[in-house]
Amino acid sequence: MVLTVYFDMLSQPSRSVLLFCEVNKIPYEKKVTHVGGGDNRTEEFQAINPVMRVPAIKDGDFVLSESAAILKYLAAKHNTPDHWYPKDIQKRAKVDQYVAWHHMNTRENSIRVFWTEVIIPMMRGREVDQARLERQLPALEETIDRLEQVYLKDQQFLCGDDITIADILAVPELMQLYGAGRNVTENHPKLTAWIERVKNKLQPWFDEFHTPLYKMRQKRLKGEKAKL
Amino acid sequence: MGLEVYFTILSQPSRAVLMFLESNAIPYTRKALDLRKGENRTEDYSRINPMMKVPAISDDGFNLTESVAILKYLANKYTVADHWYPKDIRKRAKVDEYLAWHHTNTRPACASLFFNEVLLPARTKQPADTVVVQSALTQIKNALDKLETMFLKDSRFLCGDEISIADLLAICEVMQTLGTGRNVTDNHSKVKSWMERVQNQMNPFFDEVHVPINKIRQKRLQAANTSKL
């Protein structure tokens, strides 16, 4: 049974799914689905995911969307090491708790700022709407504070002292902002240390899959300097 | 100590958790919090839930927040019928898929409508912001369209032919919109039939937890009728 992963490398949850497959040596086929090019709007892709978002998987005849659901399914199907999504119901509940909170906090607030700073100016050929950015930044700051003061308060990773699917979902979201040229970890030593820990567990694929964002950051930082 | 459940009845995810507990006869103690009095902002409660939101549970000292996590934990811990959160990994994945989508679709849309049309005006004594309300209505329509054409396309419930925790969370959000006096499901016949099915399966607990939201609806409809006279 072949597992196909439909992804766009600029999609944070796509990277989470790819990283999980690589680090757990889950055999899969990559299917690049370039959202900017409308690959997600083809009839073929709609049959896989009617919601037309990435990532999505096709495992034999079984299709599934939503990175949180995909990660949990792959963990169960491939019997990955327990720490990713523990069988103990209390430890598992802590992972479910972060993953639920993630959608409208880490993901939502990162994506809003990324769209304002990168996507909308690119799409509309305009400068960044600074007023809009100023309105959105406090929510992002609050999310980062919560990550540090609640989830990372007394532990090495978001849900305990070992990496879980929670960390693999969260870090790519913050990396997206890094790609935008934003220094989210500045003045946040706990966040910085945690991101390093997660990166180390996911190399060499972490750097490989984040290369487009590293390149984006270099370009954007140079662009800023050029203006000065 | 046992299982303590912190909730407020006007909170959609709180109602989903309560209905699940009642219909599965899981013993628990209700701890109602009055959010207007700031009972969710006390030091005691912040130890249970540092995010200071409802619902939350404390199960013999094990604290948990987020209704999705709570429902999965309860389904895993207690011997409940398999359909609530199936053990089969494909069926389970379909429930997880809806639950993930719910956070960024059904929930924010329905919550936004009720917040902006009912709660905020009541608090500020200002009229509702019609632009924000229209935006919420559009989001709701989009979410209901997906429920109608995708999740309920070929099945009686959102994730198959039996009820699951997905249906409990979704229906509480749609019920919240009824509190505005509106009928958002008028053009969604599959959604309407699905709501009746869920209601029938979850009664009498469904009706019990929705008394307050229905009261708000009645008041608003009466006020609207009175102003027309």
PDB file of all heavy atoms in Angstrom, chain A residues 98 143-162 167 170-171 174 188-195 197-198, chain B residues 51:
ATOM      1  N   TYR A  98      -2.475  20.577  23.527  1.00  0.00           N
ATOM      2  CA  TYR A  98      -1.696  21.553  22.766  1.00  0.00           C
ATOM      3  C   TYR A  98      -2.200  21.641  21.328  1.00  0.00           C
ATOM      4  O   TYR A  98      -2.396  22.726  20.793  1.00  0.00           O
ATOM      5  CB  TYR A  98      -0.172  21.290  22.743  1.00  0.00           C
ATOM      6  CG  TYR A  98       0.451  22.286  21.793  1.00  0.00           C
ATOM      7  CD1 TYR A  98       0.685  23.599  22.202  1.00  0.00           C
ATOM      8  CD2 TYR A  98       0.636  21.973  20.443  1.00  0.00           C
ATOM      9  CE1 TYR A  98       1.115  24.570  21.297  1.00  0.00           C
ATOM     10  CE2 TYR A  98       1.074  22.940  19.535  1.00  0.00           C
ATOM     11  CZ  TYR A  98       1.298  24.236  19.962  1.00  0.00           C
ATOM     12  OH  TYR A  98       1.705  25.191  19.073  1.00  0.00           O
ATOM     13  N   THR A 143       0.837  34.726  22.130  1.00  0.00           N
ATOM     14  CA  THR A 143       1.035  33.303  21.834  1.00  0.00           C
ATOM     15  C   THR A 143       2.436  32.874  22.255  1.00  0.00           C
ATOM     16  O   THR A 143       2.610  31.835  22.892  1.00  0.00           O
ATOM     17  CB  THR A 143       0.847  33.039  20.331  1.00  0.00           C
ATOM     18  OG1 THR A 143      -0.530  33.193  20.010  1.00  0.00           O
ATOM     19  CG2 THR A 143       1.280  31.636  19.951  1.00  0.00           C
ATOM     20  N   ILE A 144       3.437  33.679  21.895  1.00  0.00           N
ATOM     21  CA  ILE A 144       4.817  33.334  22.234  1.00  0.00           C
ATOM     22  C   ILE A 144       4.999  33.306  23.756  1.00  0.00           C
ATOM     23  O   ILE A 144       5.636  32.400  24.298  1.00  0.00           O
ATOM     24  CB  ILE A 144       5.789  34.293  21.534  1.00  0.00           C
ATOM     25  CG1 ILE A 144       5.768  33.985  20.035  1.00  0.00           C
ATOM     26  CG2 ILE A 144       7.200  34.178  22.097  1.00  0.00           C
ATOM     27  CD1 ILE A 144       6.557  34.941  19.182  1.00  0.00           C
ATOM     28  N   ASP A 145       4.400  34.270  24.440  1.00  0.00           N
ATOM     29  CA  ASP A 145       4.475  34.277  25.906  1.00  0.00           C
ATOM     30  C   ASP A 145       3.848  33.010  26.482  1.00  0.00           C
ATOM     31  O   ASP A 145       4.384  32.397  27.406  1.00  0.00           O
ATOM     32  CB  ASP A 145       3.731  35.493  26.482  1.00  0.00           C
ATOM     33  CG  ASP A 145       4.533  36.776  26.316  1.00  0.00           C
ATOM     34  OD1 ASP A 145       5.754  36.682  26.055  1.00  0.00           O
ATOM     35  OD2 ASP A 145       3.940  37.861  26.426  1.00  0.00           O
ATOM     36  N   ARG A 146       2.702  32.624  25.925  1.00  0.00           N
ATOM     37  CA  ARG A 146       2.018  31.420  26.424  1.00  0.00           C
ATOM     38  C   ARG A 146       2.865  30.181  26.175  1.00  0.00           C
ATOM     39  O   ARG A 146       2.951  29.282  27.006  1.00  0.00           O
ATOM     40  CB  ARG A 146       0.661  31.260  25.737  1.00  0.00           C
ATOM     41  CG  ARG A 146      -0.349  32.333  26.118  1.00  0.00           C
ATOM     42  CD  ARG A 146      -1.230  31.874  27.253  1.00  0.00           C
ATOM     43  NE  ARG A 146      -1.868  32.966  27.949  1.00  0.00           N
ATOM     44  CZ  ARG A 146      -3.094  33.395  27.724  1.00  0.00           C
ATOM     45  NH1 ARG A 146      -3.826  32.829  26.789  1.00  0.00           N
ATOM     46  NH2 ARG A 146      -3.587  34.386  28.430  1.00  0.00           N
ATOM     47  N   LEU A 147       3.495  30.121  25.014  1.00  0.00           N
ATOM     48  CA  LEU A 147       4.357  28.965  24.710  1.00  0.00           C
ATOM     49  C   LEU A 147       5.452  28.863  25.765  1.00  0.00           C
ATOM     50  O   LEU A 147       5.696  27.787  26.312  1.00  0.00           O
ATOM     51  CB  LEU A 147       4.985  29.104  23.314  1.00  0.00           C
ATOM     52  CG  LEU A 147       4.068  28.873  22.120  1.00  0.00           C
ATOM     53  CD1 LEU A 147       4.780  29.195  20.806  1.00  0.00           C
ATOM     54  CD2 LEU A 147       3.558  27.431  22.077  1.00  0.00           C
ATOM     55  N   GLU A 148       6.063  30.000  26.077  1.00  0.00           N
ATOM     56  CA  GLU A 148       7.175  29.998  27.040  1.00  0.00           C
ATOM     57  C   GLU A 148       6.704  29.774  28.461  1.00  0.00           C
ATOM     58  O   GLU A 148       7.315  29.015  29.215  1.00  0.00           O
ATOM     59  CB  GLU A 148       7.916  31.343  26.970  1.00  0.00           C
ATOM     60  CG  GLU A 148       8.843  31.450  25.794  1.00  0.00           C
ATOM     61  CD  GLU A 148       9.969  32.440  26.063  1.00  0.00           C
ATOM     62  OE1 GLU A 148       9.682  33.535  26.580  1.00  0.00           O
ATOM     63  OE2 GLU A 148      11.124  32.111  25.726  1.00  0.00           O
ATOM     64  N   GLN A 149       5.637  30.465  28.852  1.00  0.00           N
ATOM     65  CA  GLN A 149       5.271  30.476  30.270  1.00  0.00           C
ATOM     66  C   GLN A 149       4.336  29.350  30.668  1.00  0.00           C
ATOM     67  O   GLN A 149       4.220  29.038  31.844  1.00  0.00           O
ATOM     68  CB  GLN A 149       4.647  31.815  30.636  1.00  0.00           C
ATOM     69  CG  GLN A 149       5.682  32.938  30.614  1.00  0.00           C
ATOM     70  CD  GLN A 149       5.036  34.296  30.456  1.00  0.00           C
ATOM     71  OE1 GLN A 149       3.861  34.470  30.790  1.00  0.00           O
ATOM     72  NE2 GLN A 149       5.784  35.250  29.939  1.00  0.00           N
ATOM     73  N   VAL A 150       3.629  28.773  29.721  1.00  0.00           N
ATOM     74  CA  VAL A 150       2.713  27.684  30.060  1.00  0.00           C
ATOM     75  C   VAL A 150       3.272  26.356  29.567  1.00  0.00           C
ATOM     76  O   VAL A 150       3.627  25.486  30.346  1.00  0.00           O
ATOM     77  CB  VAL A 150       1.299  27.931  29.485  1.00  0.00           C
ATOM     78  CG1 VAL A 150       0.382  26.751  29.773  1.00  0.00           C
ATOM     79  CG2 VAL A 150       0.707  29.211  30.054  1.00  0.00           C
ATOM     80  N   TYR A 151       3.402  26.211  28.244  1.00  0.00           N
ATOM     81  CA  TYR A 151       3.790  24.904  27.709  1.00  0.00           C
ATOM     82  C   TYR A 151       5.239  24.538  27.999  1.00  0.00           C
ATOM     83  O   TYR A 151       5.551  23.377  28.241  1.00  0.00           O
ATOM     84  CB  TYR A 151       3.502  24.847  26.202  1.00  0.00           C
ATOM     85  CG  TYR A 151       2.018  24.862  25.899  1.00  0.00           C
ATOM     86  CD1 TYR A 151       1.387  26.027  25.452  1.00  0.00           C
ATOM     87  CD2 TYR A 151       1.238  23.725  26.074  1.00  0.00           C
ATOM     88  CE1 TYR A 151       0.026  26.048  25.201  1.00  0.00           C
ATOM     89  CE2 TYR A 151      -0.130  23.734  25.822  1.00  0.00           C
ATOM     90  CZ  TYR A 151      -0.729  24.900  25.392  1.00  0.00           C
ATOM     91  OH  TYR A 151      -2.071  24.927  25.137  1.00  0.00           O
ATOM     92  N   LEU A 152       6.137  25.523  27.929  1.00  0.00           N
ATOM     93  CA  LEU A 152       7.561  25.237  28.130  1.00  0.00           C
ATOM     94  C   LEU A 152       8.021  25.600  29.535  1.00  0.00           C
ATOM     95  O   LEU A 152       9.224  25.654  29.796  1.00  0.00           O
ATOM     96  CB  LEU A 152       8.400  26.008  27.092  1.00  0.00           C
ATOM     97  CG  LEU A 152       8.190  25.581  25.640  1.00  0.00           C
ATOM     98  CD1 LEU A 152       8.855  26.571  24.680  1.00  0.00           C
ATOM     99  CD2 LEU A 152       8.736  24.176  25.399  1.00  0.00           C
ATOM    100  N   LYS A 153       7.059  25.811  30.423  1.00  0.00           N
ATOM    101  CA  LYS A 153       7.397  26.331  31.753  1.00  0.00           C
ATOM    102  C   LYS A 153       8.431  25.458  32.472  1.00  0.00           C
ATOM    103  O   LYS A 153       9.475  25.923  32.890  1.00  0.00           O
ATOM    104  CB  LYS A 153       6.131  26.436  32.598  1.00  0.00           C
ATOM    105  CG  LYS A 153       6.329  27.102  33.942  1.00  0.00           C
ATOM    106  CD  LYS A 153       5.005  27.268  34.661  1.00  0.00           C
ATOM    107  CE  LYS A 153       5.235  27.738  36.105  1.00  0.00           C
ATOM    108  NZ  LYS A 153       4.159  27.348  36.989  1.00  0.00           N
ATOM    109  N   ASP A 154       8.100  24.168  32.644  1.00  0.00           N
ATOM    110  CA  ASP A 154       9.006  23.305  33.425  1.00  0.00           C
ATOM    111  C   ASP A 154       9.445  22.101  32.634  1.00  0.00           C
ATOM    112  O   ASP A 154       9.755  21.062  33.206  1.00  0.00           O
ATOM    113  CB  ASP A 154       8.266  22.778  34.681  1.00  0.00           C
ATOM    114  CG  ASP A 154       7.848  23.909  35.586  1.00  0.00           C
ATOM    115  OD1 ASP A 154       8.693  24.786  35.862  1.00  0.00           O
ATOM    116  OD2 ASP A 154       6.668  23.930  36.009  1.00  0.00           O
ATOM    117  N   GLN A 155       9.406  22.185  31.302  1.00  0.00           N
ATOM    118  CA  GLN A 155       9.748  20.995  30.522  1.00  0.00           C
ATOM    119  C   GLN A 155      10.477  21.367  29.234  1.00  0.00           C
ATOM    120  O   GLN A 155      10.443  22.503  28.789  1.00  0.00           O
ATOM    121  CB  GLN A 155       8.482  20.181  30.223  1.00  0.00           C
ATOM    122  CG  GLN A 155       7.337  20.988  29.654  1.00  0.00           C
ATOM    123  CD  GLN A 155       5.997  20.279  29.813  1.00  0.00           C
ATOM    124  OE1 GLN A 155       5.817  19.369  30.623  1.00  0.00           O
ATOM    125  NE2 GLN A 155       5.028  20.685  29.026  1.00  0.00           N
ATOM    126  N   GLN A 156      11.125  20.361  28.672  1.00  0.00           N
ATOM    127  CA  GLN A 156      12.002  20.557  27.531  1.00  0.00           C
ATOM    128  C   GLN A 156      11.256  20.736  26.219  1.00  0.00           C
ATOM    129  O   GLN A 156      11.764  21.365  25.296  1.00  0.00           O
ATOM    130  CB  GLN A 156      12.914  19.326  27.387  1.00  0.00           C
ATOM    131  CG  GLN A 156      13.830  19.101  28.575  1.00  0.00           C
ATOM    132  CD  GLN A 156      15.036  20.008  28.475  1.00  0.00           C
ATOM    133  OE1 GLN A 156      15.850  19.913  27.587  1.00  0.00           O
ATOM    134  NE2 GLN A 156      15.148  20.932  29.426  1.00  0.00           N
ATOM    135  N   PHE A 157      10.083  20.124  26.124  1.00  0.00           N
ATOM    136  CA  PHE A 157       9.268  20.220  24.912  1.00  0.00           C
ATOM    137  C   PHE A 157       7.854  20.616  25.328  1.00  0.00           C
ATOM    138  O   PHE A 157       7.543  20.705  26.510  1.00  0.00           O
ATOM    139  CB  PHE A 157       9.294  18.882  24.151  1.00  0.00           C
ATOM    140  CG  PHE A 157      10.657  18.528  23.621  1.00  0.00           C
ATOM    141  CD1 PHE A 157      11.541  17.771  24.383  1.00  0.00           C
ATOM    142  CD2 PHE A 157      11.058  18.969  22.371  1.00  0.00           C
ATOM    143  CE1 PHE A 157      12.818  17.478  23.906  1.00  0.00           C
ATOM    144  CE2 PHE A 157      12.332  18.676  21.886  1.00  0.00           C
ATOM    145  CZ  PHE A 157      13.220  17.933  22.662  1.00  0.00           C
ATOM    146  N   LEU A 158       6.995  20.844  24.334  1.00  0.00           N
ATOM    147  CA  LEU A 158       5.686  21.429  24.647  1.00  0.00           C
ATOM    148  C   LEU A 158       4.812  20.580  25.564  1.00  0.00           C
ATOM    149  O   LEU A 158       3.972  21.098  26.286  1.00  0.00           O
ATOM    150  CB  LEU A 158       4.907  21.724  23.359  1.00  0.00           C
ATOM    151  CG  LEU A 158       5.472  22.814  22.462  1.00  0.00           C
ATOM    152  CD1 LEU A 158       4.650  22.905  21.170  1.00  0.00           C
ATOM    153  CD2 LEU A 158       5.478  24.162  23.164  1.00  0.00           C
ATOM    154  N   CYS A 159       4.990  19.246  25.476  1.00  0.00           N
ATOM    155  CA  CYS A 159       4.080  18.375  26.231  1.00  0.00           C
ATOM    156  C   CYS A 159       4.815  17.433  27.162  1.00  0.00           C
ATOM    157  O   CYS A 159       4.260  16.424  27.597  1.00  0.00           O
ATOM    158  CB  CYS A 159       3.183  17.585  25.267  1.00  0.00           C
ATOM    159  SG  CYS A 159       2.218  18.669  24.195  1.00  0.00           S
ATOM    160  N   GLY A 160       6.061  17.747  27.483  1.00  0.00           N
ATOM    161  CA  GLY A 160       6.808  16.867  28.381  1.00  0.00           C
ATOM    162  C   GLY A 160       8.293  16.971  28.085  1.00  0.00           C
ATOM    163  O   GLY A 160       8.758  17.944  27.482  1.00  0.00           O
ATOM    164  N   ASP A 161       9.026  15.961  28.498  1.00  0.00           N
ATOM    165  CA  ASP A 161      10.479  16.050  28.295  1.00  0.00           C
ATOM    166  C   ASP A 161      10.971  15.328  27.060  1.00  0.00           C
ATOM    167  O   ASP A 161      12.166  15.124  26.893  1.00  0.00           O
ATOM    168  CB  ASP A 161      11.213  15.589  29.568  1.00  0.00           C
ATOM    169  CG  ASP A 161      11.174  16.695  30.626  1.00  0.00           C
ATOM    170  OD1 ASP A 161      11.218  17.888  30.243  1.00  0.00           O
ATOM    171  OD2 ASP A 161      11.062  16.372  31.829  1.00  0.00           O
ATOM    172  N   ASP A 162      10.049  14.941  26.200  1.00  0.00           N
ATOM    173  CA  ASP A 162      10.478  14.401  24.914  1.00  0.00           C
ATOM    174  C   ASP A 162       9.617  15.019  23.820  1.00  0.00           C
ATOM    175  O   ASP A 162       8.493  15.497  24.082  1.00  0.00           O
ATOM    176  CB  ASP A 162      10.360  12.868  24.899  1.00  0.00           C
ATOM    177  CG  ASP A 162      11.367  12.216  23.956  1.00  0.00           C
ATOM    178  OD1 ASP A 162      11.886  12.917  23.047  1.00  0.00           O
ATOM    179  OD2 ASP A 162      11.639  11.013  24.118  1.00  0.00           O
ATOM    180  N   ASP A 167       5.261  19.503  19.024  1.00  0.00           N
ATOM    181  CA  ASP A 167       6.449  20.286  18.664  1.00  0.00           C
ATOM    182  C   ASP A 167       6.633  20.336  17.157  1.00  0.00           C
ATOM    183  O   ASP A 167       7.036  21.364  16.596  1.00  0.00           O
ATOM    184  CB  ASP A 167       7.697  19.671  19.312  1.00  0.00           C
ATOM    185  CG  ASP A 167       7.540  19.495  20.805  1.00  0.00           C
ATOM    186  OD1 ASP A 167       7.684  20.501  21.534  1.00  0.00           O
ATOM    187  OD2 ASP A 167       7.250  18.370  21.267  1.00  0.00           O
ATOM    188  N   ALA A 170       4.265  22.920  15.853  1.00  0.00           N
ATOM    189  CA  ALA A 170       4.507  24.305  16.279  1.00  0.00           C
ATOM    190  C   ALA A 170       5.719  24.959  15.614  1.00  0.00           C
ATOM    191  O   ALA A 170       5.639  26.106  15.160  1.00  0.00           O
ATOM    192  CB  ALA A 170       4.665  24.354  17.794  1.00  0.00           C
ATOM    193  N   VAL A 171       6.848  24.258  15.582  1.00  0.00           N
ATOM    194  CA  VAL A 171       8.081  24.906  15.117  1.00  0.00           C
ATOM    195  C   VAL A 171       7.999  25.424  13.684  1.00  0.00           C
ATOM    196  O   VAL A 171       8.393  26.564  13.424  1.00  0.00           O
ATOM    197  CB  VAL A 171       9.315  23.999  15.356  1.00  0.00           C
ATOM    198  CG1 VAL A 171      10.555  24.618  14.733  1.00  0.00           C
ATOM    199  CG2 VAL A 171       9.534  23.803  16.851  1.00  0.00           C
ATOM    200  N   LEU A 174       6.557  28.900  13.511  1.00  0.00           N
ATOM    201  CA  LEU A 174       7.464  29.975  13.932  1.00  0.00           C
ATOM    202  C   LEU A 174       8.555  30.189  12.882  1.00  0.00           C
ATOM    203  O   LEU A 174       8.988  31.318  12.643  1.00  0.00           O
ATOM    204  CB  LEU A 174       8.065  29.639  15.300  1.00  0.00           C
ATOM    205  CG  LEU A 174       7.016  29.514  16.405  1.00  0.00           C
ATOM    206  CD1 LEU A 174       7.646  29.007  17.700  1.00  0.00           C
ATOM    207  CD2 LEU A 174       6.334  30.844  16.672  1.00  0.00           C
ATOM    208  N   HIS A 188      13.550  35.827  23.838  1.00  0.00           N
ATOM    209  CA  HIS A 188      12.791  34.666  24.297  1.00  0.00           C
ATOM    210  C   HIS A 188      13.729  33.463  24.361  1.00  0.00           C
ATOM    211  O   HIS A 188      13.696  32.585  23.483  1.00  0.00           O
ATOM    212  CB  HIS A 188      11.610  34.389  23.359  1.00  0.00           C
ATOM    213  CG  HIS A 188      10.555  35.449  23.385  1.00  0.00           C
ATOM    214  ND1 HIS A 188       9.700  35.611  24.456  1.00  0.00           N
ATOM    215  CD2 HIS A 188      10.229  36.404  22.490  1.00  0.00           C
ATOM    216  CE1 HIS A 188       8.878  36.628  24.205  1.00  0.00           C
ATOM    217  NE2 HIS A 188       9.180  37.126  23.034  1.00  0.00           N
ATOM    218  N   PRO A 189      14.573  33.413  25.398  1.00  0.00           N
ATOM    219  CA  PRO A 189      15.589  32.354  25.475  1.00  0.00           C
ATOM    220  C   PRO A 189      15.017  30.940  25.553  1.00  0.00           C
ATOM    221  O   PRO A 189      15.581  30.004  24.979  1.00  0.00           O
ATOM    222  CB  PRO A 189      16.378  32.689  26.753  1.00  0.00           C
ATOM    223  CG  PRO A 189      15.527  33.642  27.514  1.00  0.00           C
ATOM    224  CD  PRO A 189      14.671  34.358  26.524  1.00  0.00           C
ATOM    225  N   LYS A 190      13.858  30.794  26.236  1.00  0.00           N
ATOM    226  CA  LYS A 190      13.261  29.448  26.343  1.00  0.00           C
ATOM    227  C   LYS A 190      12.809  28.967  24.972  1.00  0.00           C
ATOM    228  O   LYS A 190      12.989  27.814  24.596  1.00  0.00           O
ATOM    229  CB  LYS A 190      12.044  29.476  27.266  1.00  0.00           C
ATOM    230  CG  LYS A 190      12.348  29.162  28.692  1.00  0.00           C
ATOM    231  CD  LYS A 190      11.093  28.823  29.485  1.00  0.00           C
ATOM    232  CE  LYS A 190      11.510  28.421  30.888  1.00  0.00           C
ATOM    233  NZ  LYS A 190      10.399  28.231  31.775  1.00  0.00           N
ATOM    234  N   LEU A 191      12.221  29.900  24.216  1.00  0.00           N
ATOM    235  CA  LEU A 191      11.734  29.567  22.880  1.00  0.00           C
ATOM    236  C   LEU A 191      12.913  29.181  21.993  1.00  0.00           C
ATOM    237  O   LEU A 191      12.870  28.184  21.270  1.00  0.00           O
ATOM    238  CB  LEU A 191      11.009  30.783  22.298  1.00  0.00           C
ATOM    239  CG  LEU A 191       9.988  30.491  21.225  1.00  0.00           C
ATOM    240  CD1 LEU A 191       8.727  29.926  21.847  1.00  0.00           C
ATOM    241  CD2 LEU A 191       9.645  31.757  20.442  1.00  0.00           C
ATOM    242  N   THR A 192      13.986  29.993  22.057  1.00  0.00           N
ATOM    243  CA  THR A 192      15.184  29.742  21.249  1.00  0.00           C
ATOM    244  C   THR A 192      15.733  28.348  21.540  1.00  0.00           C
ATOM    245  O   THR A 192      16.000  27.569  20.618  1.00  0.00           O
ATOM    246  CB  THR A 192      16.269  30.778  21.571  1.00  0.00           C
ATOM    247  OG1 THR A 192      15.705  32.085  21.491  1.00  0.00           O
ATOM    248  CG2 THR A 192      17.428  30.674  20.593  1.00  0.00           C
ATOM    249  N   ALA A 193      15.878  28.035  22.825  1.00  0.00           N
ATOM    250  CA  ALA A 193      16.456  26.745  23.219  1.00  0.00           C
ATOM    251  C   ALA A 193      15.572  25.587  22.759  1.00  0.00           C
ATOM    252  O   ALA A 193      16.060  24.569  22.263  1.00  0.00           O
ATOM    253  CB  ALA A 193      16.634  26.700  24.735  1.00  0.00           C
ATOM    254  N   TRP A 194      14.264  25.763  22.884  1.00  0.00           N
ATOM    255  CA  TRP A 194      13.324  24.700  22.499  1.00  0.00           C
ATOM    256  C   TRP A 194      13.378  24.474  20.984  1.00  0.00           C
ATOM    257  O   TRP A 194      13.438  23.330  20.527  1.00  0.00           O
ATOM    258  CB  TRP A 194      11.923  25.088  22.955  1.00  0.00           C
ATOM    259  CG  TRP A 194      10.806  24.356  22.280  1.00  0.00           C
ATOM    260  CD1 TRP A 194      10.504  23.021  22.377  1.00  0.00           C
ATOM    261  CD2 TRP A 194       9.850  24.914  21.389  1.00  0.00           C
ATOM    262  NE1 TRP A 194       9.407  22.723  21.598  1.00  0.00           N
ATOM    263  CE2 TRP A 194       8.989  23.871  20.992  1.00  0.00           C
ATOM    264  CE3 TRP A 194       9.624  26.212  20.889  1.00  0.00           C
ATOM    265  CZ2 TRP A 194       7.913  24.073  20.119  1.00  0.00           C
ATOM    266  CZ3 TRP A 194       8.560  26.414  20.031  1.00  0.00           C
ATOM    267  CH2 TRP A 194       7.723  25.349  19.644  1.00  0.00           C
ATOM    268  N   ILE A 195      13.399  25.556  20.210  1.00  0.00           N
ATOM    269  CA  ILE A 195      13.461  25.407  18.757  1.00  0.00           C
ATOM    270  C   ILE A 195      14.737  24.662  18.352  1.00  0.00           C
ATOM    271  O   ILE A 195      14.703  23.768  17.501  1.00  0.00           O
ATOM    272  CB  ILE A 195      13.354  26.772  18.033  1.00  0.00           C
ATOM    273  CG1 ILE A 195      11.942  27.338  18.216  1.00  0.00           C
ATOM    274  CG2 ILE A 195      13.690  26.653  16.552  1.00  0.00           C
ATOM    275  CD1 ILE A 195      11.740  28.734  17.633  1.00  0.00           C
ATOM    276  N   ARG A 197      16.381  22.483  20.151  1.00  0.00           N
ATOM    277  CA  ARG A 197      16.210  21.077  20.536  1.00  0.00           C
ATOM    278  C   ARG A 197      15.390  20.335  19.485  1.00  0.00           C
ATOM    279  O   ARG A 197      15.725  19.226  19.074  1.00  0.00           O
ATOM    280  CB  ARG A 197      15.503  20.971  21.889  1.00  0.00           C
ATOM    281  CG  ARG A 197      16.392  21.155  23.097  1.00  0.00           C
ATOM    282  CD  ARG A 197      15.680  20.715  24.363  1.00  0.00           C
ATOM    283  NE  ARG A 197      14.650  21.644  24.783  1.00  0.00           N
ATOM    284  CZ  ARG A 197      14.848  22.719  25.547  1.00  0.00           C
ATOM    285  NH1 ARG A 197      16.043  22.999  25.979  1.00  0.00           N
ATOM    286  NH2 ARG A 197      13.834  23.490  25.881  1.00  0.00           N
ATOM    287  N   VAL A 198      14.303  20.969  19.047  1.00  0.00           N
ATOM    288  CA  VAL A 198      13.423  20.326  18.054  1.00  0.00           C
ATOM    289  C   VAL A 198      14.177  20.150  16.736  1.00  0.00           C
ATOM    290  O   VAL A 198      14.163  19.071  16.132  1.00  0.00           O
ATOM    291  CB  VAL A 198      12.132  21.154  17.856  1.00  0.00           C
ATOM    292  CG1 VAL A 198      11.303  20.599  16.701  1.00  0.00           C
ATOM    293  CG2 VAL A 198      11.304  21.171  19.131  1.00  0.00           C
TER     294      VAL A 198
ATOM    295  N   MET B  51      -4.862  29.188  30.906  1.00  0.00           N
ATOM    296  CA  MET B  51      -5.445  29.984  29.823  1.00  0.00           C
ATOM    297  C   MET B  51      -6.748  30.637  30.274  1.00  0.00           C
ATOM    298  O   MET B  51      -7.320  31.447  29.551  1.00  0.00           O
ATOM    299  CB  MET B  51      -5.730  29.120  28.584  1.00  0.00           C
ATOM    300  CG  MET B  51      -4.546  28.337  28.097  1.00  0.00           C
ATOM    301  SD  MET B  51      -3.192  29.415  27.542  1.00  0.00           S
ATOM    302  CE  MET B  51      -2.026  28.200  26.954  1.00  0.00           C
TER     303      MET B  51
END
